[in-house]
PDB file of all heavy atoms in Angstrom:
ATOM      1  N   VAL A 274      75.858  63.470 139.621  1.00 98.00           N
ATOM      2  CA  VAL A 274      74.781  63.411 140.614  1.00 98.00           C
ATOM      3  C   VAL A 274      74.766  62.040 141.283  1.00 98.00           C
ATOM      4  O   VAL A 274      74.693  61.926 142.521  1.00 98.00           O
ATOM      5  CB  VAL A 274      73.417  63.718 139.968  1.00 98.00           C
ATOM      6  CG1 VAL A 274      72.286  63.501 140.978  1.00 98.00           C
ATOM      7  CG2 VAL A 274      73.384  65.137 139.429  1.00 98.00           C
ATOM      8  N   THR A 275      74.863  60.996 140.483  1.00 98.00           N
ATOM      9  CA  THR A 275      74.900  59.635 141.018  1.00 98.00           C
ATOM     10  C   THR A 275      76.136  59.425 141.879  1.00 98.00           C
ATOM     11  O   THR A 275      76.066  58.819 142.960  1.00 98.00           O
ATOM     12  CB  THR A 275      74.878  58.614 139.873  1.00 98.00           C
ATOM     13  OG1 THR A 275      73.682  58.788 139.109  1.00 98.00           O
ATOM     14  CG2 THR A 275      74.941  57.189 140.403  1.00 98.00           C
ATOM     15  N   ALA A 276      77.260  59.942 141.408  1.00 98.00           N
ATOM     16  CA  ALA A 276      78.513  59.784 142.157  1.00 98.00           C
ATOM     17  C   ALA A 276      78.419  60.427 143.538  1.00 98.00           C
ATOM     18  O   ALA A 276      78.805  59.824 144.552  1.00 98.00           O
ATOM     19  CB  ALA A 276      79.668  60.387 141.371  1.00 98.00           C
ATOM     20  N   LEU A 277      77.885  61.636 143.596  1.00 98.00           N
ATOM     21  CA  LEU A 277      77.789  62.325 144.882  1.00 98.00           C
ATOM     22  C   LEU A 277      76.788  61.648 145.807  1.00 98.00           C
ATOM     23  O   LEU A 277      76.993  61.624 147.032  1.00 98.00           O
ATOM     24  CB  LEU A 277      77.417  63.788 144.667  1.00 98.00           C
ATOM     25  CG  LEU A 277      78.496  64.674 144.041  1.00 98.00           C
ATOM     26  CD1 LEU A 277      78.018  66.118 143.961  1.00 98.00           C
ATOM     27  CD2 LEU A 277      79.802  64.603 144.829  1.00 98.00           C
ATOM     28  N   GLU A 278      75.722  61.106 145.259  1.00 98.00           N
ATOM     29  CA  GLU A 278      74.756  60.398 146.101  1.00 98.00           C
ATOM     30  C   GLU A 278      75.406  59.157 146.712  1.00 98.00           C
ATOM     31  O   GLU A 278      75.200  58.854 147.898  1.00 98.00           O
ATOM     32  CB  GLU A 278      73.521  60.022 145.294  1.00 98.00           C
ATOM     33  CG  GLU A 278      72.504  59.177 146.056  1.00 98.00           C
ATOM     34  CD  GLU A 278      71.954  59.830 147.314  1.00 98.00           C
ATOM     35  OE1 GLU A 278      72.124  61.056 147.505  1.00 98.00           O
ATOM     36  OE2 GLU A 278      71.324  59.111 148.119  1.00 98.00           O
ATOM     37  N   GLU A 279      76.199  58.434 145.928  1.00 98.00           N
ATOM     38  CA  GLU A 279      76.878  57.257 146.465  1.00 98.00           C
ATOM     39  C   GLU A 279      77.874  57.662 147.548  1.00 98.00           C
ATOM     40  O   GLU A 279      78.006  56.987 148.575  1.00 98.00           O
ATOM     41  CB  GLU A 279      77.578  56.497 145.339  1.00 98.00           C
ATOM     42  CG  GLU A 279      76.616  55.823 144.371  1.00 98.00           C
ATOM     43  CD  GLU A 279      77.322  54.912 143.387  1.00 98.00           C
ATOM     44  OE1 GLU A 279      78.335  54.297 143.769  1.00 98.00           O
ATOM     45  OE2 GLU A 279      76.865  54.817 142.227  1.00 98.00           O
ATOM     46  N   LEU A 280      78.570  58.765 147.336  1.00 98.00           N
ATOM     47  CA  LEU A 280      79.520  59.230 148.347  1.00 98.00           C
ATOM     48  C   LEU A 280      78.790  59.693 149.609  1.00 98.00           C
ATOM     49  O   LEU A 280      79.251  59.466 150.727  1.00 98.00           O
ATOM     50  CB  LEU A 280      80.391  60.348 147.781  1.00 98.00           C
ATOM     51  CG  LEU A 280      81.388  59.939 146.694  1.00 98.00           C
ATOM     52  CD1 LEU A 280      82.158  61.153 146.191  1.00 98.00           C
ATOM     53  CD2 LEU A 280      82.359  58.883 147.215  1.00 98.00           C
ATOM     54  N   ARG A 281      77.650  60.339 149.427  1.00 97.00           N
ATOM     55  CA  ARG A 281      76.873  60.773 150.602  1.00 97.00           C
ATOM     56  C   ARG A 281      76.470  59.575 151.448  1.00 97.00           C
ATOM     57  O   ARG A 281      76.555  59.619 152.684  1.00 97.00           O
ATOM     58  CB  ARG A 281      75.621  61.542 150.148  1.00 97.00           C
ATOM     59  CG  ARG A 281      74.803  62.110 151.310  1.00 97.00           C
ATOM     60  CD  ARG A 281      73.508  62.726 150.826  1.00 97.00           C
ATOM     61  NE  ARG A 281      72.548  61.713 150.396  1.00 97.00           N
ATOM     62  CZ  ARG A 281      71.736  61.050 151.216  1.00 97.00           C
ATOM     63  NH1 ARG A 281      71.776  61.273 152.527  1.00 97.00           N
ATOM     64  NH2 ARG A 281      70.893  60.155 150.732  1.00 97.00           N
ATOM     65  N   LEU A 282      76.060  58.510 150.800  1.00 97.00           N
ATOM     66  CA  LEU A 282      75.659  57.312 151.529  1.00 97.00           C
ATOM     67  C   LEU A 282      76.842  56.664 152.249  1.00 97.00           C
ATOM     68  O   LEU A 282      76.647  55.917 153.218  1.00 97.00           O
ATOM     69  CB  LEU A 282      75.010  56.310 150.573  1.00 97.00           C
ATOM     70  CG  LEU A 282      73.665  56.755 149.967  1.00 97.00           C
ATOM     71  CD1 LEU A 282      73.187  55.752 148.939  1.00 97.00           C
ATOM     72  CD2 LEU A 282      72.620  56.969 151.055  1.00 97.00           C
ATOM     73  N   LEU A 283      78.051  56.967 151.796  1.00 97.00           N
ATOM     74  CA  LEU A 283      79.257  56.473 152.465  1.00 97.00           C
ATOM     75  C   LEU A 283      79.704  57.405 153.594  1.00 97.00           C
ATOM     76  O   LEU A 283      80.717  57.152 154.242  1.00 97.00           O
ATOM     77  CB  LEU A 283      80.395  56.310 151.451  1.00 97.00           C
ATOM     78  CG  LEU A 283      80.236  55.178 150.429  1.00 97.00           C
ATOM     79  CD1 LEU A 283      81.351  55.244 149.392  1.00 97.00           C
ATOM     80  CD2 LEU A 283      80.230  53.819 151.124  1.00 97.00           C
ATOM     81  N   GLY A 284      78.956  58.496 153.814  1.00 95.00           N
ATOM     82  CA  GLY A 284      79.294  59.430 154.884  1.00 95.00           C
ATOM     83  C   GLY A 284      80.236  60.544 154.473  1.00 95.00           C
ATOM     84  O   GLY A 284      80.732  61.287 155.323  1.00 95.00           O
ATOM     85  N   VAL A 285      80.475  60.686 153.165  1.00 97.00           N
ATOM     86  CA  VAL A 285      81.364  61.745 152.683  1.00 97.00           C
ATOM     87  C   VAL A 285      80.639  63.083 152.745  1.00 97.00           C
ATOM     88  O   VAL A 285      79.526  63.227 152.239  1.00 97.00           O
ATOM     89  CB  VAL A 285      81.831  61.453 151.236  1.00 97.00           C
ATOM     90  CG1 VAL A 285      82.557  62.653 150.644  1.00 97.00           C
ATOM     91  CG2 VAL A 285      82.724  60.227 151.217  1.00 97.00           C
ATOM     92  N   ARG A 286      81.276  64.073 153.343  1.00 96.00           N
ATOM     93  CA  ARG A 286      80.715  65.415 153.450  1.00 96.00           C
ATOM     94  C   ARG A 286      81.442  66.434 152.579  1.00 96.00           C
ATOM     95  O   ARG A 286      80.880  67.451 152.222  1.00 96.00           O
ATOM     96  CB  ARG A 286      80.719  65.866 154.914  1.00 96.00           C
ATOM     97  CG  ARG A 286      79.728  65.101 155.764  1.00 96.00           C
ATOM     98  CD  ARG A 286      79.936  65.323 157.236  1.00 96.00           C
ATOM     99  NE  ARG A 286      81.160  64.719 157.719  1.00 96.00           N
ATOM    100  CZ  ARG A 286      81.304  63.415 157.981  1.00 96.00           C
ATOM    101  NH1 ARG A 286      80.292  62.596 157.798  1.00 96.00           N
ATOM    102  NH2 ARG A 286      82.454  62.935 158.416  1.00 96.00           N
ATOM    103  N   HIS A 287      82.703  66.146 152.262  1.00 98.00           N
ATOM    104  CA  HIS A 287      83.505  67.070 151.447  1.00 98.00           C
ATOM    105  C   HIS A 287      84.382  66.236 150.520  1.00 98.00           C
ATOM    106  O   HIS A 287      85.173  65.414 150.974  1.00 98.00           O
ATOM    107  CB  HIS A 287      84.363  67.951 152.357  1.00 98.00           C
ATOM    108  CG  HIS A 287      85.222  68.931 151.612  1.00 98.00           C
ATOM    109  ND1 HIS A 287      86.236  69.638 152.230  1.00 98.00           N
ATOM    110  CD2 HIS A 287      85.238  69.323 150.314  1.00 98.00           C
ATOM    111  CE1 HIS A 287      86.818  70.423 151.345  1.00 98.00           C
ATOM    112  NE2 HIS A 287      86.232  70.240 150.169  1.00 98.00           N
ATOM    113  N   ALA A 288      84.219  66.445 149.213  1.00 98.00           N
ATOM    114  CA  ALA A 288      85.011  65.735 148.221  1.00 98.00           C
ATOM    115  C   ALA A 288      85.822  66.737 147.406  1.00 98.00           C
ATOM    116  O   ALA A 288      85.314  67.799 147.028  1.00 98.00           O
ATOM    117  CB  ALA A 288      84.122  64.908 147.294  1.00 98.00           C
ATOM    118  N   ILE A 289      87.067  66.387 147.130  1.00 98.00           N
ATOM    119  CA  ILE A 289      87.899  67.188 146.230  1.00 98.00           C
ATOM    120  C   ILE A 289      87.995  66.453 144.908  1.00 98.00           C
ATOM    121  O   ILE A 289      88.435  65.295 144.854  1.00 98.00           O
ATOM    122  CB  ILE A 289      89.305  67.419 146.811  1.00 98.00           C
ATOM    123  CG1 ILE A 289      89.227  68.214 148.113  1.00 98.00           C
ATOM    124  CG2 ILE A 289      90.185  68.159 145.793  1.00 98.00           C
ATOM    125  CD1 ILE A 289      90.575  68.470 148.772  1.00 98.00           C
ATOM    126  N   VAL A 290      87.550  67.102 143.847  1.00 98.00           N
ATOM    127  CA  VAL A 290      87.644  66.542 142.500  1.00 98.00           C
ATOM    128  C   VAL A 290      88.961  67.029 141.899  1.00 98.00           C
ATOM    129  O   VAL A 290      89.166  68.235 141.730  1.00 98.00           O
ATOM    130  CB  VAL A 290      86.451  66.975 141.631  1.00 98.00           C
ATOM    131  CG1 VAL A 290      86.623  66.502 140.196  1.00 98.00           C
ATOM    132  CG2 VAL A 290      85.150  66.433 142.222  1.00 98.00           C
ATOM    133  N   GLU A 291      89.841  66.089 141.576  1.00 94.00           N
ATOM    134  CA  GLU A 291      91.168  66.452 141.073  1.00 94.00           C
ATOM    135  C   GLU A 291      91.355  66.123 139.598  1.00 94.00           C
ATOM    136  O   GLU A 291      92.468  66.125 139.095  1.00 94.00           O
ATOM    137  CB  GLU A 291      92.242  65.774 141.924  1.00 94.00           C
ATOM    138  CG  GLU A 291      92.277  66.267 143.365  1.00 94.00           C
ATOM    139  CD  GLU A 291      93.587  65.971 144.071  1.00 94.00           C
ATOM    140  OE1 GLU A 291      94.476  65.355 143.456  1.00 94.00           O
ATOM    141  OE2 GLU A 291      93.704  66.357 145.243  1.00 94.00           O
ATOM    142  N   GLY A 292      90.279  65.816 138.893  1.00 81.00           N
ATOM    143  CA  GLY A 292      90.411  65.637 137.449  1.00 81.00           C
ATOM    144  C   GLY A 292      90.307  64.200 137.022  1.00 81.00           C
ATOM    145  O   GLY A 292      89.926  63.336 137.809  1.00 81.00           O
TER     146      GLY A 292
END
Side-chain angles (χ1 to χ4, degrees):
V274 174
T275 300
L277 290 183
E278 175 59 15
E279 291 188 34
L280 291 178
R281 184 186 72 83
L282 294 174
L283 290 173
V285 170
R286 290 167 291 281
H287 180 192
I289 297 179
V290 174
E291 294 199 359

